[in-house]
Every structure is written in structure tokens, then in C-alpha cells.
Amino acid sequence: MRKFKEFIIEKLILICGLACIFFVVLIFLFLLKEGLAVFKIETPIKFLFGSKWYPISEPPQLGILPLILGSLLVTFGAAVISVPIGVACAIYIAEVAPTKLKEILKAGIELLAAIPSVVLGFIGMVTLVPWVKNIFHLPTGLTALSGSIMLAFMAMPTIVSIAEDALYSVPKSYKEGALALGATRWQAIWRVILPAASSGILAAVMLGIGRVIGETMAVMMITGNAAVLPHSILQPVRTLTATIAAEMGEAVVGSEHYFALFAIGIVLFVISFAINVTADIFLHKRK
């Protein structure tokens, strides 16, 4: 009877895993079905590298290069802020903080991850946007920098949690051996523990970036939504996700605009899939 129960549980887990893969494939096929129709109107080169996004003009101009560059600029800015702070927090929690403080910090990080993105976007509009405007003497604080700072806060819980797990999984004998050989506590962390956990830390960074590039509400609220080629992090930009969220409700079903938004979804799907696969490869890397 026990073996029968284990057999049923194993098969149920297998079915759940296969169902997840099946649903992802269905989503991708649906995106392909709706999105590839845009290439009957616009060539892939013009669509990906065109500099003008005017989907309701006559004729429509469907270049998404400003949207791609806007997404990359905001993501890069968020990574520059969140990666050093996130990894440093993970090191402190895993190797330095006392046990009681460690529990408080981990609870706080989990609480930060639970805040809805629309709430963070509203907080950014009220506090961060005026601050950026006044500090840099800009006509508007709705810029890529504002989006980068806010998205950095959203990526940090992912980076800290996974990086802390990677550091905690390093065998204690590594640290004890380094200390026994005369290394200081910082030398043991920097030269032994960090290299040993580098695969997990890199995976944490990649997953944090994946969270940033897929974010919608916060960037739509505080980046300015200007579909122009960005020349500075202090100017308004528009991201791929914000474009879909802002325009899908107004697009006529079956129009060029409608198909173009689904094609943007394909681009986002490919980018997110590549980031997650890269993170998975590094996470399971064994030296």
C-alpha cells in the first residue's frame, strides 16, 4: 500500500511538471500565432531596429528599437544599483549578522518582496520622482533613472534570497580551513566562500534581472512613457512591458497595432526565457 501511494504521488508530480511545460508551450504558440502576422506588414529588421513607434499613423510605423533600448537602459540601471547592494546584504546575512538579527533581516526582505508593484510605483511617483526632478534640475522626474531606482528595490529581495542560500550552502569546512590557515574573516569570505558560491550568486543576479525586465506597473507609472530613442538615463523612456499594458486595451483586434503588441510579447518571452535558462545553467554548474 505504501509503495502504491508513493507511485501515485510520483506520477502526480510528473503530471504537474509536464503540465507546466505544456502550458508554457501553448502560451508561446499563441504568441506566435498572433504576433507573426505583423511581419506580413513590416519586415523583422524594420520591426526590431526601426526607430519610430507610431502604430496608429497612416501608414503605421512599427519600430520597437526605442522600446527595447528603454527596457535595457532601465534594466541596466537597476542592475547597477541592486547587484552590489543585494550581494553585500546576502554576505552580511549569511556570514556576519548575529542569529537574531539574521531572522529579522530575512523577514524584512520577504516583506519587501510581498509589496505589490503598483504600490511601489505610487510611492515612486509621490516621493522619488520629485526628488530626481529637484536634484538634477530636470523638467520632469519621470525618467529612466527613477524607474531604475524603483526596480532595483524590486529586484533586491530575489537577489538577496537566492545569493544568501548559495552562500549558506558552501560547506563550513571551506571557511574553517581558510581560518585555520591564518586567513582573516574577510579574506575567508572574499577568497574562499564567494568563489565557491559564485554560480549561485550569478544565478541570483540573472533571476533578479529577469524580474526587472518583466516588470510592468512600476515602470509604466514613473518612467515617462516616451517612445523615443534614449540618449541619457535622465530622460523619459518607454519599456516593452509598459507598451503592451498601456496600448493593448485600445488596440483594434486584428489590426497592425494588435499584431505588433503580440510581437512585442514574443520578444519579451524570448528575452525572459534566455535569462532564466542562463540562470539555471549557472545555478547547476559544478566546478
PDB file of all heavy atoms in Angstrom, residues 31-65:
ATOM      1  N   LEU A  31       1.303  33.237 -28.785  1.00  0.00           N
ATOM      2  CA  LEU A  31       2.021  34.465 -29.130  1.00  0.00           C
ATOM      3  C   LEU A  31       2.503  34.431 -30.577  1.00  0.00           C
ATOM      4  O   LEU A  31       2.404  35.431 -31.299  1.00  0.00           O
ATOM      5  CB  LEU A  31       3.208  34.656 -28.182  1.00  0.00           C
ATOM      6  CG  LEU A  31       2.897  35.096 -26.752  1.00  0.00           C
ATOM      7  CD1 LEU A  31       4.179  35.115 -25.926  1.00  0.00           C
ATOM      8  CD2 LEU A  31       2.246  36.468 -26.732  1.00  0.00           C
ATOM      9  N   LEU A  32       3.024  33.280 -30.994  1.00  0.00           N
ATOM     10  CA  LEU A  32       3.490  33.156 -32.376  1.00  0.00           C
ATOM     11  C   LEU A  32       2.337  33.330 -33.356  1.00  0.00           C
ATOM     12  O   LEU A  32       2.472  34.008 -34.383  1.00  0.00           O
ATOM     13  CB  LEU A  32       4.153  31.792 -32.577  1.00  0.00           C
ATOM     14  CG  LEU A  32       5.520  31.578 -31.938  1.00  0.00           C
ATOM     15  CD1 LEU A  32       5.996  30.158 -32.195  1.00  0.00           C
ATOM     16  CD2 LEU A  32       6.544  32.565 -32.475  1.00  0.00           C
ATOM     17  N   LYS A  33       1.199  32.696 -33.054  1.00  0.00           N
ATOM     18  CA  LYS A  33       0.037  32.769 -33.945  1.00  0.00           C
ATOM     19  C   LYS A  33      -0.417  34.209 -34.158  1.00  0.00           C
ATOM     20  O   LYS A  33      -0.726  34.615 -35.282  1.00  0.00           O
ATOM     21  CB  LYS A  33      -1.100  31.926 -33.361  1.00  0.00           C
ATOM     22  CG  LYS A  33      -2.431  32.034 -34.116  1.00  0.00           C
ATOM     23  CD  LYS A  33      -3.483  31.189 -33.456  1.00  0.00           C
ATOM     24  CE  LYS A  33      -4.851  31.391 -34.104  1.00  0.00           C
ATOM     25  NZ  LYS A  33      -5.373  32.755 -33.913  1.00  0.00           N
ATOM     26  N   GLU A  34      -0.458  34.989 -33.064  1.00  0.00           N
ATOM     27  CA  GLU A  34      -0.943  36.359 -33.172  1.00  0.00           C
ATOM     28  C   GLU A  34       0.151  37.339 -33.581  1.00  0.00           C
ATOM     29  O   GLU A  34      -0.114  38.310 -34.291  1.00  0.00           O
ATOM     30  CB  GLU A  34      -1.522  36.804 -31.813  1.00  0.00           C
ATOM     31  CG  GLU A  34      -2.713  35.991 -31.347  1.00  0.00           C
ATOM     32  CD  GLU A  34      -3.943  36.233 -32.189  1.00  0.00           C
ATOM     33  OE1 GLU A  34      -3.992  37.255 -32.905  1.00  0.00           O
ATOM     34  OE2 GLU A  34      -4.871  35.398 -32.155  1.00  0.00           O
ATOM     35  N   GLY A  35       1.390  37.074 -33.135  1.00  0.00           N
ATOM     36  CA  GLY A  35       2.449  38.055 -33.332  1.00  0.00           C
ATOM     37  C   GLY A  35       3.129  37.997 -34.681  1.00  0.00           C
ATOM     38  O   GLY A  35       3.544  39.029 -35.216  1.00  0.00           O
ATOM     39  N   LEU A  36       3.252  36.802 -35.248  1.00  0.00           N
ATOM     40  CA  LEU A  36       3.975  36.688 -36.514  1.00  0.00           C
ATOM     41  C   LEU A  36       3.230  37.346 -37.669  1.00  0.00           C
ATOM     42  O   LEU A  36       3.826  37.626 -38.713  1.00  0.00           O
ATOM     43  CB  LEU A  36       4.232  35.205 -36.841  1.00  0.00           C
ATOM     44  CG  LEU A  36       5.239  34.493 -35.930  1.00  0.00           C
ATOM     45  CD1 LEU A  36       5.422  33.042 -36.373  1.00  0.00           C
ATOM     46  CD2 LEU A  36       6.582  35.210 -35.921  1.00  0.00           C
ATOM     47  N   ALA A  37       1.931  37.606 -37.494  1.00  0.00           N
ATOM     48  CA  ALA A  37       1.166  38.256 -38.557  1.00  0.00           C
ATOM     49  C   ALA A  37       1.677  39.661 -38.850  1.00  0.00           C
ATOM     50  O   ALA A  37       1.468  40.183 -39.945  1.00  0.00           O
ATOM     51  CB  ALA A  37      -0.315  38.307 -38.168  1.00  0.00           C
ATOM     52  N   VAL A  38       2.348  40.277 -37.890  1.00  0.00           N
ATOM     53  CA  VAL A  38       2.846  41.635 -38.115  1.00  0.00           C
ATOM     54  C   VAL A  38       3.931  41.661 -39.185  1.00  0.00           C
ATOM     55  O   VAL A  38       4.151  42.691 -39.844  1.00  0.00           O
ATOM     56  CB  VAL A  38       3.380  42.233 -36.789  1.00  0.00           C
ATOM     57  CG1 VAL A  38       4.746  41.650 -36.426  1.00  0.00           C
ATOM     58  CG2 VAL A  38       3.482  43.751 -36.881  1.00  0.00           C
ATOM     59  N   PHE A  39       4.608  40.526 -39.386  1.00  0.00           N
ATOM     60  CA  PHE A  39       5.692  40.502 -40.363  1.00  0.00           C
ATOM     61  C   PHE A  39       5.180  40.421 -41.800  1.00  0.00           C
ATOM     62  O   PHE A  39       5.976  40.429 -42.735  1.00  0.00           O
ATOM     63  CB  PHE A  39       6.635  39.337 -40.056  1.00  0.00           C
ATOM     64  CG  PHE A  39       7.301  39.471 -38.709  1.00  0.00           C
ATOM     65  CD1 PHE A  39       7.267  38.432 -37.789  1.00  0.00           C
ATOM     66  CD2 PHE A  39       7.931  40.647 -38.345  1.00  0.00           C
ATOM     67  CE1 PHE A  39       7.864  38.564 -36.540  1.00  0.00           C
ATOM     68  CE2 PHE A  39       8.523  40.786 -37.101  1.00  0.00           C
ATOM     69  CZ  PHE A  39       8.481  39.746 -36.200  1.00  0.00           C
ATOM     70  N   LYS A  40       3.868  40.329 -41.971  1.00  0.00           N
ATOM     71  CA  LYS A  40       3.288  40.488 -43.307  1.00  0.00           C
ATOM     72  C   LYS A  40       3.227  41.967 -43.676  1.00  0.00           C
ATOM     73  O   LYS A  40       3.129  42.310 -44.850  1.00  0.00           O
ATOM     74  CB  LYS A  40       1.878  39.895 -43.335  1.00  0.00           C
ATOM     75  CG  LYS A  40       1.828  38.395 -43.063  1.00  0.00           C
ATOM     76  CD  LYS A  40       0.386  37.903 -43.048  1.00  0.00           C
ATOM     77  CE  LYS A  40       0.316  36.415 -42.716  1.00  0.00           C
ATOM     78  NZ  LYS A  40      -1.097  35.931 -42.625  1.00  0.00           N
ATOM     79  N   ILE A  41       3.268  42.818 -42.669  1.00  0.00           N
ATOM     80  CA  ILE A  41       3.187  44.264 -42.872  1.00  0.00           C
ATOM     81  C   ILE A  41       4.574  44.894 -42.792  1.00  0.00           C
ATOM     82  O   ILE A  41       4.919  45.764 -43.582  1.00  0.00           O
ATOM     83  CB  ILE A  41       2.279  44.894 -41.802  1.00  0.00           C
ATOM     84  CG1 ILE A  41       0.926  44.182 -41.771  1.00  0.00           C
ATOM     85  CG2 ILE A  41       2.099  46.383 -42.019  1.00  0.00           C
ATOM     86  CD1 ILE A  41       0.192  44.307 -40.475  1.00  0.00           C
ATOM     87  N   GLU A  42       5.380  44.444 -41.826  1.00  0.00           N
ATOM     88  CA  GLU A  42       6.698  45.010 -41.556  1.00  0.00           C
ATOM     89  C   GLU A  42       7.717  43.881 -41.538  1.00  0.00           C
ATOM     90  O   GLU A  42       7.440  42.789 -41.029  1.00  0.00           O
ATOM     91  CB  GLU A  42       6.680  45.704 -40.190  1.00  0.00           C
ATOM     92  CG  GLU A  42       7.799  46.705 -39.984  1.00  0.00           C
ATOM     93  CD  GLU A  42       7.524  48.032 -40.668  1.00  0.00           C
ATOM     94  OE1 GLU A  42       6.814  48.867 -40.107  1.00  0.00           O
ATOM     95  OE2 GLU A  42       8.051  48.216 -41.787  1.00  0.00           O
ATOM     96  N   THR A  43       8.884  44.134 -42.113  1.00  0.00           N
ATOM     97  CA  THR A  43       9.936  43.112 -42.089  1.00  0.00           C
ATOM     98  C   THR A  43      10.495  42.993 -40.668  1.00  0.00           C
ATOM     99  O   THR A  43      10.446  43.963 -39.896  1.00  0.00           O
ATOM    100  CB  THR A  43      11.081  43.481 -43.047  1.00  0.00           C
ATOM    101  OG1 THR A  43      11.693  44.694 -42.603  1.00  0.00           O
ATOM    102  CG2 THR A  43      10.562  43.646 -44.457  1.00  0.00           C
ATOM    103  N   PRO A  44      11.035  41.825 -40.307  1.00  0.00           N
ATOM    104  CA  PRO A  44      11.601  41.675 -38.963  1.00  0.00           C
ATOM    105  C   PRO A  44      12.686  42.694 -38.647  1.00  0.00           C
ATOM    106  O   PRO A  44      12.782  43.177 -37.509  1.00  0.00           O
ATOM    107  CB  PRO A  44      12.160  40.243 -38.982  1.00  0.00           C
ATOM    108  CG  PRO A  44      11.331  39.530 -39.996  1.00  0.00           C
ATOM    109  CD  PRO A  44      11.018  40.552 -41.045  1.00  0.00           C
ATOM    110  N   ILE A  45      13.511  43.044 -39.638  1.00  0.00           N
ATOM    111  CA  ILE A  45      14.593  44.012 -39.408  1.00  0.00           C
ATOM    112  C   ILE A  45      14.018  45.383 -39.065  1.00  0.00           C
ATOM    113  O   ILE A  45      14.440  46.040 -38.098  1.00  0.00           O
ATOM    114  CB  ILE A  45      15.510  44.102 -40.650  1.00  0.00           C
ATOM    115  CG1 ILE A  45      16.181  42.756 -40.926  1.00  0.00           C
ATOM    116  CG2 ILE A  45      16.566  45.184 -40.435  1.00  0.00           C
ATOM    117  CD1 ILE A  45      17.088  42.283 -39.830  1.00  0.00           C
ATOM    118  N   LYS A  46      13.035  45.834 -39.837  1.00  0.00           N
ATOM    119  CA  LYS A  46      12.430  47.141 -39.573  1.00  0.00           C
ATOM    120  C   LYS A  46      11.665  47.138 -38.256  1.00  0.00           C
ATOM    121  O   LYS A  46      11.627  48.152 -37.552  1.00  0.00           O
ATOM    122  CB  LYS A  46      11.494  47.527 -40.727  1.00  0.00           C
ATOM    123  CG  LYS A  46      12.219  47.922 -42.009  1.00  0.00           C
ATOM    124  CD  LYS A  46      11.224  48.397 -43.051  1.00  0.00           C
ATOM    125  CE  LYS A  46      11.947  48.848 -44.326  1.00  0.00           C
ATOM    126  NZ  LYS A  46      10.985  49.321 -45.363  1.00  0.00           N
ATOM    127  N   PHE A  47      11.054  46.007 -37.935  1.00  0.00           N
ATOM    128  CA  PHE A  47      10.299  45.925 -36.690  1.00  0.00           C
ATOM    129  C   PHE A  47      11.232  46.008 -35.487  1.00  0.00           C
ATOM    130  O   PHE A  47      10.973  46.745 -34.538  1.00  0.00           O
ATOM    131  CB  PHE A  47       9.499  44.622 -36.656  1.00  0.00           C
ATOM    132  CG  PHE A  47       8.690  44.434 -35.399  1.00  0.00           C
ATOM    133  CD1 PHE A  47       7.537  45.163 -35.185  1.00  0.00           C
ATOM    134  CD2 PHE A  47       9.098  43.534 -34.429  1.00  0.00           C
ATOM    135  CE1 PHE A  47       6.798  45.000 -34.031  1.00  0.00           C
ATOM    136  CE2 PHE A  47       8.367  43.365 -33.270  1.00  0.00           C
ATOM    137  CZ  PHE A  47       7.210  44.104 -33.063  1.00  0.00           C
ATOM    138  N   LEU A  48      12.326  45.261 -35.521  1.00  0.00           N
ATOM    139  CA  LEU A  48      13.232  45.208 -34.376  1.00  0.00           C
ATOM    140  C   LEU A  48      14.144  46.421 -34.287  1.00  0.00           C
ATOM    141  O   LEU A  48      14.527  46.829 -33.186  1.00  0.00           O
ATOM    142  CB  LEU A  48      14.078  43.931 -34.439  1.00  0.00           C
ATOM    143  CG  LEU A  48      13.326  42.605 -34.237  1.00  0.00           C
ATOM    144  CD1 LEU A  48      14.248  41.429 -34.492  1.00  0.00           C
ATOM    145  CD2 LEU A  48      12.749  42.527 -32.829  1.00  0.00           C
ATOM    146  N   PHE A  49      14.509  47.000 -35.426  1.00  0.00           N
ATOM    147  CA  PHE A  49      15.502  48.066 -35.426  1.00  0.00           C
ATOM    148  C   PHE A  49      14.969  49.406 -35.922  1.00  0.00           C
ATOM    149  O   PHE A  49      15.737  50.350 -36.071  1.00  0.00           O
ATOM    150  CB  PHE A  49      16.713  47.645 -36.262  1.00  0.00           C
ATOM    151  CG  PHE A  49      17.391  46.402 -35.752  1.00  0.00           C
ATOM    152  CD1 PHE A  49      17.227  45.191 -36.403  1.00  0.00           C
ATOM    153  CD2 PHE A  49      18.148  46.440 -34.592  1.00  0.00           C
ATOM    154  CE1 PHE A  49      17.835  44.040 -35.917  1.00  0.00           C
ATOM    155  CE2 PHE A  49      18.765  45.301 -34.110  1.00  0.00           C
ATOM    156  CZ  PHE A  49      18.599  44.094 -34.765  1.00  0.00           C
ATOM    157  N   GLY A  50      13.684  49.487 -36.172  1.00  0.00           N
ATOM    158  CA  GLY A  50      13.095  50.769 -36.547  1.00  0.00           C
ATOM    159  C   GLY A  50      13.086  51.721 -35.362  1.00  0.00           C
ATOM    160  O   GLY A  50      12.904  51.314 -34.213  1.00  0.00           O
ATOM    161  N   SER A  51      13.249  53.014 -35.635  1.00  0.00           N
ATOM    162  CA  SER A  51      13.390  53.991 -34.554  1.00  0.00           C
ATOM    163  C   SER A  51      12.104  54.744 -34.240  1.00  0.00           C
ATOM    164  O   SER A  51      12.098  55.611 -33.366  1.00  0.00           O
ATOM    165  CB  SER A  51      14.483  55.009 -34.912  1.00  0.00           C
ATOM    166  OG  SER A  51      14.142  55.704 -36.103  1.00  0.00           O
ATOM    167  N   LYS A  52      11.010  54.423 -34.913  1.00  0.00           N
ATOM    168  CA  LYS A  52       9.758  55.160 -34.697  1.00  0.00           C
ATOM    169  C   LYS A  52       8.630  54.193 -34.368  1.00  0.00           C
ATOM    170  O   LYS A  52       8.386  53.233 -35.101  1.00  0.00           O
ATOM    171  CB  LYS A  52       9.411  55.990 -35.938  1.00  0.00           C
ATOM    172  CG  LYS A  52      10.417  57.099 -36.218  1.00  0.00           C
ATOM    173  CD  LYS A  52      10.025  57.924 -37.430  1.00  0.00           C
ATOM    174  CE  LYS A  52      11.046  59.032 -37.698  1.00  0.00           C
ATOM    175  NZ  LYS A  52      10.699  59.829 -38.888  1.00  0.00           N
ATOM    176  N   TRP A  53       7.936  54.474 -33.263  1.00  0.00           N
ATOM    177  CA  TRP A  53       6.787  53.673 -32.847  1.00  0.00           C
ATOM    178  C   TRP A  53       5.539  54.556 -32.908  1.00  0.00           C
ATOM    179  O   TRP A  53       5.196  55.270 -31.985  1.00  0.00           O
ATOM    180  CB  TRP A  53       7.012  53.126 -31.435  1.00  0.00           C
ATOM    181  CG  TRP A  53       5.813  52.404 -30.867  1.00  0.00           C
ATOM    182  CD1 TRP A  53       4.944  52.884 -29.935  1.00  0.00           C
ATOM    183  CD2 TRP A  53       5.360  51.088 -31.203  1.00  0.00           C
ATOM    184  NE1 TRP A  53       3.969  51.950 -29.667  1.00  0.00           N
ATOM    185  CE2 TRP A  53       4.207  50.830 -30.422  1.00  0.00           C
ATOM    186  CE3 TRP A  53       5.819  50.097 -32.072  1.00  0.00           C
ATOM    187  CZ2 TRP A  53       3.506  49.626 -30.500  1.00  0.00           C
ATOM    188  CZ3 TRP A  53       5.131  48.906 -32.147  1.00  0.00           C
ATOM    189  CH2 TRP A  53       3.992  48.670 -31.381  1.00  0.00           C
ATOM    190  N   TYR A  54       4.880  54.526 -34.075  1.00  0.00           N
ATOM    191  CA  TYR A  54       3.617  55.233 -34.279  1.00  0.00           C
ATOM    192  C   TYR A  54       2.617  54.230 -34.856  1.00  0.00           C
ATOM    193  O   TYR A  54       2.342  54.226 -36.069  1.00  0.00           O
ATOM    194  CB  TYR A  54       3.793  56.423 -35.227  1.00  0.00           C
ATOM    195  CG  TYR A  54       4.797  57.446 -34.748  1.00  0.00           C
ATOM    196  CD1 TYR A  54       5.949  57.719 -35.475  1.00  0.00           C
ATOM    197  CD2 TYR A  54       4.581  58.141 -33.557  1.00  0.00           C
ATOM    198  CE1 TYR A  54       6.872  58.658 -35.028  1.00  0.00           C
ATOM    199  CE2 TYR A  54       5.491  59.085 -33.101  1.00  0.00           C
ATOM    200  CZ  TYR A  54       6.634  59.337 -33.846  1.00  0.00           C
ATOM    201  OH  TYR A  54       7.543  60.258 -33.393  1.00  0.00           O
ATOM    202  N   PRO A  55       2.050  53.374 -34.016  1.00  0.00           N
ATOM    203  CA  PRO A  55       1.253  52.245 -34.524  1.00  0.00           C
ATOM    204  C   PRO A  55      -0.094  52.638 -35.118  1.00  0.00           C
ATOM    205  O   PRO A  55      -0.687  51.838 -35.848  1.00  0.00           O
ATOM    206  CB  PRO A  55       1.057  51.372 -33.273  1.00  0.00           C
ATOM    207  CG  PRO A  55       1.179  52.316 -32.130  1.00  0.00           C
ATOM    208  CD  PRO A  55       2.182  53.346 -32.544  1.00  0.00           C
ATOM    209  N   ILE A  56      -0.598  53.848 -34.831  1.00  0.00           N
ATOM    210  CA  ILE A  56      -1.913  54.216 -35.371  1.00  0.00           C
ATOM    211  C   ILE A  56      -1.806  55.294 -36.442  1.00  0.00           C
ATOM    212  O   ILE A  56      -2.805  55.883 -36.836  1.00  0.00           O
ATOM    213  CB  ILE A  56      -2.848  54.688 -34.236  1.00  0.00           C
ATOM    214  CG1 ILE A  56      -2.249  55.863 -33.466  1.00  0.00           C
ATOM    215  CG2 ILE A  56      -3.157  53.543 -33.280  1.00  0.00           C
ATOM    216  CD1 ILE A  56      -3.190  56.455 -32.426  1.00  0.00           C
ATOM    217  N   SER A  57      -0.594  55.559 -36.920  1.00  0.00           N
ATOM    218  CA  SER A  57      -0.441  56.527 -38.005  1.00  0.00           C
ATOM    219  C   SER A  57      -0.778  55.844 -39.332  1.00  0.00           C
ATOM    220  O   SER A  57      -0.993  54.637 -39.404  1.00  0.00           O
ATOM    221  CB  SER A  57       0.990  57.070 -38.037  1.00  0.00           C
ATOM    222  OG  SER A  57       1.913  56.027 -38.309  1.00  0.00           O
ATOM    223  N   GLU A  58      -0.811  56.613 -40.395  1.00  0.00           N
ATOM    224  CA  GLU A  58      -1.082  56.072 -41.731  1.00  0.00           C
ATOM    225  C   GLU A  58       0.080  56.402 -42.665  1.00  0.00           C
ATOM    226  O   GLU A  58       0.275  57.563 -43.017  1.00  0.00           O
ATOM    227  CB  GLU A  58      -2.378  56.655 -42.303  1.00  0.00           C
ATOM    228  CG  GLU A  58      -3.633  56.107 -41.676  1.00  0.00           C
ATOM    229  CD  GLU A  58      -3.841  54.622 -41.953  1.00  0.00           C
ATOM    230  OE1 GLU A  58      -3.275  54.120 -42.945  1.00  0.00           O
ATOM    231  OE2 GLU A  58      -4.544  53.969 -41.174  1.00  0.00           O
ATOM    232  N   PRO A  59       0.882  55.412 -43.093  1.00  0.00           N
ATOM    233  CA  PRO A  59       0.839  54.016 -42.668  1.00  0.00           C
ATOM    234  C   PRO A  59       1.452  53.863 -41.270  1.00  0.00           C
ATOM    235  O   PRO A  59       2.231  54.723 -40.846  1.00  0.00           O
ATOM    236  CB  PRO A  59       1.682  53.315 -43.728  1.00  0.00           C
ATOM    237  CG  PRO A  59       2.666  54.345 -44.147  1.00  0.00           C
ATOM    238  CD  PRO A  59       1.944  55.664 -44.074  1.00  0.00           C
ATOM    239  N   PRO A  60       1.152  52.773 -40.563  1.00  0.00           N
ATOM    240  CA  PRO A  60       1.714  52.597 -39.211  1.00  0.00           C
ATOM    241  C   PRO A  60       3.228  52.395 -39.254  1.00  0.00           C
ATOM    242  O   PRO A  60       3.755  51.732 -40.151  1.00  0.00           O
ATOM    243  CB  PRO A  60       0.998  51.339 -38.690  1.00  0.00           C
ATOM    244  CG  PRO A  60       0.529  50.623 -39.911  1.00  0.00           C
ATOM    245  CD  PRO A  60       0.241  51.684 -40.930  1.00  0.00           C
ATOM    246  N   GLN A  61       3.922  52.984 -38.301  1.00  0.00           N
ATOM    247  CA  GLN A  61       5.370  52.797 -38.169  1.00  0.00           C
ATOM    248  C   GLN A  61       5.607  51.973 -36.897  1.00  0.00           C
ATOM    249  O   GLN A  61       5.334  52.427 -35.794  1.00  0.00           O
ATOM    250  CB  GLN A  61       6.071  54.151 -38.089  1.00  0.00           C
ATOM    251  CG  GLN A  61       5.851  55.004 -39.330  1.00  0.00           C
ATOM    252  CD  GLN A  61       6.627  56.302 -39.285  1.00  0.00           C
ATOM    253  OE1 GLN A  61       7.837  56.318 -39.074  1.00  0.00           O
ATOM    254  NE2 GLN A  61       5.924  57.412 -39.481  1.00  0.00           N
ATOM    255  N   LEU A  62       6.119  50.774 -37.091  1.00  0.00           N
ATOM    256  CA  LEU A  62       6.170  49.783 -36.015  1.00  0.00           C
ATOM    257  C   LEU A  62       7.602  49.416 -35.642  1.00  0.00           C
ATOM    258  O   LEU A  62       7.951  48.241 -35.551  1.00  0.00           O
ATOM    259  CB  LEU A  62       5.386  48.523 -36.425  1.00  0.00           C
ATOM    260  CG  LEU A  62       3.930  48.751 -36.843  1.00  0.00           C
ATOM    261  CD1 LEU A  62       3.305  47.471 -37.359  1.00  0.00           C
ATOM    262  CD2 LEU A  62       3.132  49.305 -35.669  1.00  0.00           C
ATOM    263  N   GLY A  63       8.436  50.405 -35.425  1.00  0.00           N
ATOM    264  CA  GLY A  63       9.801  50.137 -34.977  1.00  0.00           C
ATOM    265  C   GLY A  63       9.884  50.100 -33.462  1.00  0.00           C
ATOM    266  O   GLY A  63       9.492  51.064 -32.798  1.00  0.00           O
ATOM    267  N   ILE A  64      10.386  49.013 -32.910  1.00  0.00           N
ATOM    268  CA  ILE A  64      10.394  48.877 -31.442  1.00  0.00           C
ATOM    269  C   ILE A  64      11.785  49.070 -30.843  1.00  0.00           C
ATOM    270  O   ILE A  64      11.978  48.781 -29.656  1.00  0.00           O
ATOM    271  CB  ILE A  64       9.832  47.508 -31.008  1.00  0.00           C
ATOM    272  CG1 ILE A  64      10.734  46.359 -31.491  1.00  0.00           C
ATOM    273  CG2 ILE A  64       8.415  47.316 -31.499  1.00  0.00           C
ATOM    274  CD1 ILE A  64      10.399  45.022 -30.853  1.00  0.00           C
ATOM    275  N   LEU A  65      12.739  49.578 -31.622  1.00  0.00           N
ATOM    276  CA  LEU A  65      14.073  49.806 -31.063  1.00  0.00           C
ATOM    277  C   LEU A  65      14.042  50.766 -29.867  1.00  0.00           C
ATOM    278  O   LEU A  65      14.726  50.501 -28.864  1.00  0.00           O
ATOM    279  CB  LEU A  65      15.020  50.331 -32.146  1.00  0.00           C
ATOM    280  CG  LEU A  65      16.476  50.532 -31.709  1.00  0.00           C
ATOM    281  CD1 LEU A  65      17.090  49.212 -31.258  1.00  0.00           C
ATOM    282  CD2 LEU A  65      17.305  51.152 -32.840  1.00  0.00           C
TER     283      LEU A  65
END
